Amino acid sequence: MKQRAREAASTALLEAAEHVASERGIEQTSIAAIAERAQVAVGTLYNYFPDRESLLAALFKWRRDEMIPRLVAAAATAGEDGPFEQRLRAYIIQTARAFDGFRPFCRVAMSADQSGTQIKGRVTGNKSVVLETFLNSLIGIMKPIYGAKSEEYARMMFGSFKMMMQFQLERDQPIENAVDSLVNTFVQGMAV
């Protein structure tokens, strides 16, 4: 019973950190602001996390652990059969939906990217684990069509997706709304 209460309190602190960082940006996210949002004393927060960096690292791990299975499931929706465009679109739609389910966290992650804030455990070899999962799935979908060029094209799609995600978040629009234009542009090129 005590363990469940501790886990619930820890989750509430992580949610508060995500909320504050999503609203203010990661650089402006202080322990005091997180404690205020969670309606606890700063000292109480330190009972769960020794410092701001540990709290942010726990936030990124928590969300990563939730997001990666969704991205893997999204890749499974693309399957290995069917036309390439249909498979690519299915994967990008499911990926957009997965990211839409974590909009506040996506804002936090983008804030960390823009500010250059290093979060312990966020990256492996200078790569975000979540985004690397997305990229590897794209490479797998593209490999049968593009062969040796699949990584290059996957990175193009990846970059376009990431920028469209940022654009949609800034406009407070669902990421999924950008999927058709993103996939159409990638597969068919720019229409005049």
Side-chain angles (χ1 to χ4, degrees):
M1 180 95 125
K2 213 174 198 180
Q3 181 63 27
R4 279 189 296 201
R6 184 162 179 79
E7 288 173 7
S10 179
T11 298
L13 293 170
L14 293 173
E15 289 171 345
E18 180 179 61
H19 182 84
V20 172
S22 175
E23 282 187 346
R24 297 181 180 189
I26 204 157
E27 286 294 310
Q28 302 302 316
T29 299
S30 67
I31 287 290
I34 295 166
E36 181 180 326
R37 173 69 188 183
Q39 299 179 334
V40 300
V42 170
T44 301
L45 192 148
Y46 282 119
N47 288 330
Y48 293 87
F49 301 98
D51 54 34
R52 177 181 175 272
E53 289 71 29
S54 297
L55 175 57
L56 292 175
L59 169 62
F60 274 78
K61 181 186 180 324
W62 177 49
R63 288 304 189 204
R64 178 183 65 230
D65 291 349
E66 290 185 328
M67 292 176 80
I68 287 178
R70 292 181 188 205
L71 294 176
V72 170
T77 66
E80 294 182 13
D81 299 325
F84 169 72
E85 183 176 347
Q86 181 181 1
R87 292 176 43 243
L88 179 64
R89 189 176 306 278
Y91 178 64
I92 298 297
I93 286 171
Q94 292 305 315
T95 298
R97 288 177 181 161
F99 282 112
D100 269 329
F102 296 96
R103 293 176 71 79
F105 179 72
C106 289
R107 285 187 179 97
V108 173
M110 290 193 164
S111 172
D113 283 349
Q114 291 168 353
S115 70
T117 301
Q118 297 296 313
I119 307 294
K120 184 180 178 189
R122 177 177 182 219
V123 297
T124 304
N126 274 342
K127 297 176 184 174
S128 160
V129 177
V130 170
L131 295 180
E132 195 66 17
T133 300
F134 173 40
L135 178 61
N136 287 334
S137 295
L138 274 175
I139 292 169
I141 292 166
M142 293 185 179
K143 196 158 216 87
I145 302 299
Y146 298 112
K149 291 276 205 181
S150 61
E151 183 174 358
E152 183 178 337
Y153 292 140
R155 286 183 181 279
M156 286 180 201
M157 172 60 87
F158 171 82
S160 297
F161 181 91
K162 192 172 175 185
M163 292 312 299
M164 285 304 296
M165 180 170 66
Q166 182 174 351
F167 183 62
Q168 294 299 95
L169 289 171
E170 288 169 357
R171 294 175 26 196
D172 203 30
Q173 296 292 314
I175 299 163
E176 184 178 353
N177 288 359
V179 169
D180 282 339
S181 62
L182 184 65
V183 173
N184 290 345
T185 300
F186 182 82
V187 174
Q188 301 166 6
M190 302 271 301
V192 183

